[in-house]
C-alpha cells in the first residue's frame, strides 16, 4: 500500500537530499510504502526501486485515488491533534502526567513473570506448502495468488520486494521471473491441522492465531520435564518439520505480545528467547519500533510518530502525559503497557472468544451468482469453525469492499443463536441483498455475541470499536468514506497481512485503536 506520508511524519516539506533530486523529480519519494523490509527476507530490498514501481504502476487507478483520500484524511487527523497538543497548558500536562504516573505504577504492579509463552509462526506457509507439493519450485521466486493480489511470497521472491498483499502485476514488474501459484486452502488447512497436532503435545489449550501461527503456554511442560524454554522451542520446531516437512520460527517470552515479536527476529527457521526477567524485558522494548507490536497498524504508527514523535516502545512512557490526554483509558493503558513490555499471560481456559470470521478477496465483480457462491463458501467455513469450537452466535456481520475500495458493513442481531451453514447463509443473503447491485472485490462474514459470552460487560464504554457501529440495532450499516485506513477487522496478520484470503478465529491481545471504523 502507498501512503503519501513523508511530510506528515517528518513535518517537513524540504527537498530531497542534495544530488537526489526534488519531490517533483522523484514523486515516489514522498510516498511511504509498507511493501519493503517489513517481512523476513526483505532486509536488503532496494526500497526506492519498490517505491518507484508501486507509484508508477498504481498512479491514476482507483486504488491510488483511494490511497490519496485516506492520506488526506490521516493528514487532517494529525494536523488537528497537533493543534490540540499545542493548546495544552502546563497545568494540563502536569495533571495528565500525574494520571499517567499512577496508571504506570498500577500496570507495573500487574506484571506477571511466572508464565512462559511461545509463539510459533510457519515460514512463508502457503508458499512452503506449494513447494512441498511441487519440488520444482524450490529455489525459484514464487508467489501464491494471482495477477490481482498475492497471499504470500517465498523468500526468493522477497529479495525483489515481492510480498503478501501486493498486486500480482506489480510483483511481476519487480520480479519478471516470478512464478504464480493459485491458492489452495484445502491443502493449507490439511497442513495446518498437522502442525496443530504437534502444538497440542506441548499445550492442549494452545491459541490458534490463524492457519499458520499459534500461542502456547509452555510453563507446565518446562516445569514437568525440567527443561529450558529454548529446548522446548527447538524440539517443537523439529517436531513440526518431522510431521509436515515444513519449517517454522518460534519466539519465547513472558507474555504473548512479546512472544509474537520474538518469533519474527530469527526468521526463517529460527527462534529467539526473551528471559522472564524485568530488566531483560525493559531493555528489549527500549529500542523496539512501535510497528513491531501487534495492534499498532500503519495509521496508528503515523499518528503516534507525526503527532507525538513516538517511534519506539520506550517513548510511549516518555510521552505518557500526552497519551493519557488524548486517548481513552483502555487505549492509553495499552500504549503504556507496550512501553513496559506487558502483555496478556492468562491461560486460554479463562478467555472468551469474541468472534469468528472469514473473508475472500477476488477480482471486482457484479456477478450476483459468483457473490452468492462466495457467500456460501464463507458460511460453510464459519459453520465448521463454530461447530468445532461448540459455539453459537447471535450477531452476524457482512463486510464488503467495493471496486473503489470503499468498505461497507451490515449486521443483524438475531433472536436465537445460530451455528449451521444454512442459518448463516440465510441471513447473510438478506444482508447482501440490501447492498445489491454492487461491484465487490471482497466479502467477509463474522459471527459474534456467542452463547455464554461474558466479555461485553468488561469492555470500556469510552473505547470506540467497530462493534459500536455495527451491532446497535437489528440491522445496521456502516459505510466509511475513508475506508480501509487500517483495515484489520476481519484480518489475520500472519500470512496475508492485507486479508487476501483469511480466517480469524478469535481476537488476541489488542486491536489497532485507529482500526477501520474507529477513525
Amino acid at each position: 500500500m502507498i501512503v503519501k506520508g513523508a511530510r506528515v511524519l517528518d513535518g517537513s516539506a524540504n527537498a530531497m537530499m542534495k544530488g537526489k533530486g526534488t519531490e517533483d523529480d522523484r514523486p515516489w519519494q514522498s510516498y511511504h510504502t509498507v511493501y519493503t523490509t517489513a517481512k523476513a527476507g526483505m532486509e536488503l530490498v532496494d526500497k526506492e526501486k519498490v517505491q518507484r514501481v508501486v507509484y508508477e504502476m498504481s498512479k491514476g487507478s482507483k486504488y491510488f485515488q483511494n490511497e490519496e483520500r485516506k492520506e488526506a484524511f490521516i493528514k487532517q487527523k494529525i494536523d488537528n491533534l497537533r493543534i490540540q497538543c499545542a493548546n495544552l497548558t502546563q497545568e494540563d500536562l502536569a495533571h495528565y502526567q500525574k494520571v499517567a504516573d499512577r496508571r504506570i505504577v498500577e500496570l507495573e504492579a500487574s506484571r506477571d513473570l511466572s508464565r512462559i509463552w511461545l509463539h510459533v509462526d510457519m515460514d512463508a506457509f502457503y508458499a512452503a506448502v506449494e513447494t512441498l507439493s511441487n519440488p520444482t519450485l524450490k529455489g525459484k521466486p514464487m508467489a501464491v495468488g494471482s495477477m490481482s493480489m498475492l497471499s504470500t511470497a517465498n523468500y526468493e521472491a522477497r529479495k525483489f520486494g515481492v510480498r503478501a498483499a501486493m498486486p500480482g502485476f506489480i510483483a511481476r514488474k519487480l520480479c519478471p521471473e516470478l512464478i504464480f501459484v493459485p491458492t489452495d486452502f484445502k491443502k493449507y488447512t490439511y497442513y495446518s491441522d498437522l502442525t496443530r497436532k504437534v502444538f497440542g503435545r506441548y499445550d492442549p489449550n494452545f491459541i490458534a492465531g490463524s492457519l499458520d501461527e499459534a500461542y502456547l503456554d509452555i510453563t507446565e511442560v518446562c516445569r514437568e520435564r525440567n527443561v529450558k524454554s529454548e529446548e522446548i522451542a527447538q524440539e517443537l520446531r523439529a517436531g513440526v518439520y518431522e510431521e509436515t516437512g515444513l519449517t517454522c520460527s518460534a519466539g519465547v517470552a513472558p507474555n504473548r505480545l512479546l512472544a509474537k515479536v520474538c518469533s519474527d527476529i530469527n526468521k526463517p527457521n529460527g527462534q529467539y528467547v526473551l528471559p522472564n526477567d524485568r530488566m531483560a524485558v525493559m531493555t528489549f522494548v527500549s529500542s523496539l519500533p512501535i510497528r513491531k507490536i501487534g495492534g499498532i497498524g500503519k495509521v496508528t504508527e503515523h499518528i503516534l510518530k507525526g503527532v507525538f514523535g513516538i517511534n519506539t516502545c520506550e517513548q510511549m512512557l516518555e510521552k505518557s502525559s500526552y497519551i493519557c490526554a488524548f486517548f481513552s483509558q483502555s487505549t492509553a493503558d495499552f500504549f503504556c503497557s507496550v512501553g513496559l513490555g506487558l502483555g496478556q499471560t492468562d491461560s486460554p481456559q479463562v478467555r472468551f472468544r469474541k468472534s469468528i470470521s472469514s473473508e475472500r478477496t477476488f477480482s471486482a465483480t457484479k456477478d450476483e451468482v459468483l457473490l452468492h457462491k462466495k457467500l456460501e463458501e464463507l458460511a460453510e467455513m464459519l459453520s465448521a469453525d463454530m461447530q468445532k469450537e461448540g459455539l453459537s452466535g447471535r450477531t452476524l456481520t457482512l463486510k464488503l469492499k467495493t471496486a473503489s475500495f470503499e468498505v461497507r458493513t451490515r449486521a443483524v442481531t438475531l433472536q436465537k443463536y445460530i451455528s449451521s451453514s444454512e442459518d448463516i447463509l440465510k441471513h447473510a443473503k438478506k444482508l447482501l441483498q440490501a447492498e445489491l447491485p454492487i461491484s465487490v472485490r471482497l466479502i467477509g462474514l463474522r459471527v459474534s455475541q456467542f452463547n455464554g459470552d461474558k466479555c461485553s460487560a468488561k469492555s470500556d464504554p469510552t473505547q470506540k470499536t467497530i462493534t459500536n457501529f455495527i451491532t446497535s440495532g437489528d440491522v445496521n450499516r456502516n459505510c466509511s468514506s475513508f475506508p480501509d485506513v487500517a483495515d484489520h477487522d476481519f484480518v489475520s496478520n500472519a500470512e496475508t497481512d492485507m486479508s487476501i484470503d483469511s480466517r480469524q478465529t478469535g481476537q488476541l491481545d489488542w486491536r489497532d485503536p485507529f482500526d477501520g471504523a474507529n477513525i
Side-chain angles (χ1 to χ4, degrees), residues 221-292:
V221 72
C222 286
R223 182 178 300 139
E224 290 170 4
R225 293 171 50 180
N226 192 28
V227 295
K228 295 181 178 180
S229 57
E230 50 261 45
E231 295 178 50
I232 294 297
Q234 194 162 0
E235 183 182 302
L236 179 145
R237 291 172 45 237
V240 168
Y241 183 78
E242 183 178 349
E243 188 75 30
T244 66
L246 303 169
T247 65
C248 62
S249 299
V252 179
N255 57 64
R256 291 197 294 275
L257 182 141
L258 293 178
K260 183 173 177 65
V261 175
C262 290
S263 67
D264 196 53
I265 291 176
N266 287 321
K267 266 188 161 293
N269 196 22
Q271 62 186 56
Y272 183 89
V273 177
L274 179 61
N276 282 43
D277 174 80
R278 182 185 181 279
M279 185 59 67
V281 169
M282 294 302 290
T283 301
F284 180 78
V285 301
S286 63
S287 59
L288 191 68
I290 56 175
R291 187 62 185 277
K292 292 288 185 180

Side-chain angles (χ1 to χ4, degrees), residues 360-414:
R360 284 282 191 270
T361 297
F362 39 86
S363 298
T365 180
K366 293 181 179 179
D367 187 341
E368 294 184 18
V369 174
L370 177 60
L371 296 181
H372 279 93
K373 181 181 178 182
K374 296 291 183 184
L375 210 59
E376 186 176 346
E377 292 174 1
L378 293 173
E380 290 176 357
M381 290 172 64
L382 275 182
S383 177
D385 285 338
M386 291 175 66
Q387 291 177 21
K388 191 183 298 183
E389 299 283 341
L391 295 170
S392 297
R394 285 185 58 211
T395 299
L396 176 68
T397 303
L398 170 72
K399 173 185 174 182
L400 301 174
K401 185 181 289 185
T402 69
S404 60
F405 294 86
E406 175 190 24
V407 176
R408 302 182 182 184
T409 57
R410 277 187 176 270
V412 58
T413 298
L414 308 168

Side-chain angles (χ1 to χ4, degrees), residues 198-214:
V198 179
F199 303 158
R201 299 173 195 167
Y202 301 90
D203 179 7
N205 300 305
F206 70 87
I207 306 170
S210 62
L211 287 178
D212 70 330
E213 68 169 335

Side-chain angles (χ1 to χ4, degrees), residues 78-373:
I78 290 174
D79 289 344
N80 289 340
L81 284 172
R82 281 175 172 169
I83 292 171
Q84 293 176 51
C85 276
N87 289 334
L88 285 176
T89 65
Q90 288 303 314
E91 290 77 12
D92 293 332
L93 287 174
H95 165 72
Y96 285 114
Q97 189 61 63
K98 289 180 181 178
V99 172
D101 291 343
R102 184 170 61 250
R103 288 302 297 146
I104 289 171
V105 169
E106 292 171 353
L107 289 168
E108 178 60 49
S110 73
R111 186 185 296 276
D112 182 2
L113 295 172
S114 67
R115 312 305 297 178
I116 306 173
W117 279 93
L118 182 150
H119 179 259
V120 57
D121 191 5
M122 302 302 294
D123 298 321
F125 183 51
Y126 302 164
V129 169
E130 295 297 346
T131 302
L132 198 64
S133 303
N134 181 5
T136 63
L137 295 171
K138 189 173 183 179
K140 300 176 182 177
M142 177 267 285
V144 176
S146 65
M147 291 295 281
S148 298
M149 192 63 71
L150 304 182
S151 292
T152 193
N154 66 5
Y155 289 94
E156 287 77 14
R158 293 182 188 185
K159 295 174 184 176
F160 295 87
V162 177
R163 58 160 292 163
M166 176 176 280
F169 63 89
I170 292 179
R172 174 61 62 80
K173 181 71 174 179
L174 292 169
C175 180
E177 304 302 318
L178 186 66
I179 299 171
F180 289 90
V181 178
T183 55
D184 185 345
F185 274 84
K186 287 186 178 179
K187 189 188 300 181
Y188 310 147
T189 302
Y190 169 77
Y191 279 97
S192 178
D193 289 341
L194 291 180
T195 66
R196 293 178 182 187
K197 289 180 182 178
V198 179
F199 303 158
R201 299 173 195 167
Y202 301 90
D203 179 7
N205 300 305
F206 70 87
I207 306 170
S210 62
L211 287 178
D212 70 330
E213 68 169 335
Y215 296 81
L216 292 77
D217 183 346
I218 59 172
T219 311
E220 300 307 324
V221 72
C222 286
R223 182 178 300 139
E224 290 170 4
R225 293 171 50 180
N226 192 28
V227 295
K228 295 181 178 180
S229 57
E230 50 261 45
E231 295 178 50
I232 294 297
Q234 194 162 0
E235 183 182 302
L236 179 145
R237 291 172 45 237
V240 168
Y241 183 78
E242 183 178 349
E243 188 75 30
T244 66
L246 303 169
T247 65
C248 62
S249 299
V252 179
N255 57 64
R256 291 197 294 275
L257 182 141
L258 293 178
K260 183 173 177 65
V261 175
C262 290
S263 67
D264 196 53
I265 291 176
N266 287 321
K267 266 188 161 293
N269 196 22
Q271 62 186 56
Y272 183 89
V273 177
L274 179 61
N276 282 43
D277 174 80
R278 182 185 181 279
M279 185 59 67
V281 169
M282 294 302 290
T283 301
F284 180 78
V285 301
S286 63
S287 59
L288 191 68
I290 56 175
R291 187 62 185 277
K292 292 288 185 180
I293 299 296
I296 296 181
K298 181 182 61 178
V299 175
T300 301
E301 178 190 33
H302 284 192
I303 290 175
L304 289 175
K305 286 184 176 181
V307 179
F308 309 108
I310 296 175
N311 296 281
T312 66
C313 296
E314 184 179 50
Q315 290 172 331
M316 293 285 198
L317 300 182
E318 296 172 2
K319 301 297 179 70
S320 57
S321 59
Y322 289 95
I323 284 174
C324 288
F326 287 95
F327 297 100
S328 69
Q329 180 179 326
S330 58
T331 301
D333 281 356
F334 168 54
F335 288 148
C336 290
S337 294
V338 166
L340 292 167
L342 302 177
Q344 292 188 351
T345 61
D346 57 308
S347 108
Q349 294 96 314
V350 299
R351 297 177 72 250
F352 296 93
R353 189 180 299 286
K354 294 182 180 180
S355 67
I356 291 181
S357 60
S358 187
E359 63 181 35
R360 284 282 191 270
T361 297
F362 39 86
S363 298
T365 180
K366 293 181 179 179
D367 187 341
E368 294 184 18
V369 174
L370 177 60
L371 296 181
H372 279 93
K373 181 181 178 182

